[in-house]
Amino acid sequence: MSVDLADWIEDSFDWYEARFPTSKNLILPTAAFFTAKKGAPEDTAQQVLADIQRHLGNDMSLTLAPHAVVPAEYRHSYQSTGDVAGTFQTDGEDALITYDPELLQRPLSLINTLTHEVMHAQLHDMVADFPGGETAHELATDLGCIIAGFGAIQLQSADDIGWAGYLRQPTRAHALAFFLHRRGQSIDLAKAHLSPRCQKLLRRAYKGIAS
């Protein structure tokens, strides 16, 4: 972890926490945090979205749809998604999040994808002001999710699918460790929900921050 990258993470925490409510607790993929019951797929995804918005303190009006079922009023701006897990689109007034319905078979990936897209919506009007500016847009979106408490979910989801995404896994682990250290929490909170590989990254990052 370079000094510049560590400084960017710390500056980003300061920036985000000055503008948005943040969870004092790590948000975990358990029934204590997510209330969706078994039911119609669209209803399940909608409830997951509602829980994410609740944890983020986000009260935006967001339309949610599977990739293949986009409401007519949004089709003028809809772009091909291919293998993209989720998208966020807005015309400045209305906002649409789409998701790959296959994610309903992988709840952790669904939570992670929808959190990333809601964070896009949350940062949309001010992303240029985020440390690093417009060029760090996707990095800032991933990092914003971790700052908001979703770090364990993001770290493990990326590990599950073998895709690092916009942040690298060691960077995610450092940001998660910084979240826990900043709030005086033990890494044990996260370990039960992480693979051995992710646990190792988190232990190493936490040790470096604590020292």
Side-chain angles (χ1 to χ4, degrees), residues 167-178:
L167 294 176
R168 296 174 61 247
Q169 286 294 75
T171 306
R172 282 197 180 92
H174 180 93
L176 173 56
F178 190 81

Side-chain angles (χ1 to χ4, degrees), residues 4 8 10 20 26 31 34 36 56 60 67 70 82 88 161 184 187:
D4 286 346
W8 175 70
E10 184 169 356
F20 300 106
L26 189 64
F34 294 94
L56 290 175
M60 299 175 70
H67 284 339
V70 178
F88 165 73
I161 63 177
I187 64 171

Side-chain angles (χ1 to χ4, degrees), residues 85 102 121 135 189:
E102 290 295 322
T135 57
L189 288 171

Side-chain angles (χ1 to χ4, degrees), residues 72-108:
E73 62 267 30
Y74 295 100
R75 288 177 189 161
H76 66 281
S77 63
Y78 182 68
Q79 299 174 350
S80 175
T81 57
D83 294 327
V84 175
T87 69
F88 165 73
Q89 300 167 57
T90 181
D91 60 7
E93 295 182 3
D94 301 313
L96 169 69
I97 289 174
T98 72
Y99 64 95
D100 181 349
E102 290 295 322
L103 294 177
L104 288 161
Q105 308 304 315
R106 295 181 279 127
L108 195 68

Side-chain angles (χ1 to χ4, degrees), residues 73-164:
E73 62 267 30
Y74 295 100
R75 288 177 189 161
H76 66 281
S77 63
Y78 182 68
Q79 299 174 350
S80 175
T81 57
D83 294 327
V84 175
T87 69
F88 165 73
Q89 300 167 57
T90 181
D91 60 7
E93 295 182 3
D94 301 313
L96 169 69
I97 289 174
T98 72
Y99 64 95
D100 181 349
E102 290 295 322
L103 294 177
L104 288 161
Q105 308 304 315
R106 295 181 279 127
L108 195 68
S109 292
L110 177 67
I111 294 169
N112 187 51
T113 295
L114 294 185
T115 303
H116 181 88
E117 302 310 331
V118 175
M119 187 58 64
H120 265 305
Q122 185 142 300
L123 296 178
H124 178 72
D125 292 334
M126 57 182 70
V127 68
D129 297 327
F130 199 100
E134 189 71 37
T135 57
H137 182 189
E138 291 291 357
L139 296 173
T141 304
D142 264 3
L143 183 57
C145 297
I146 299 173
I147 296 170
F150 289 83
I153 290 172
Q154 189 181 121
L155 182 65
Q156 186 56 52
S157 179
D159 188 69
D160 287 346
I161 63 177
W163 178 64

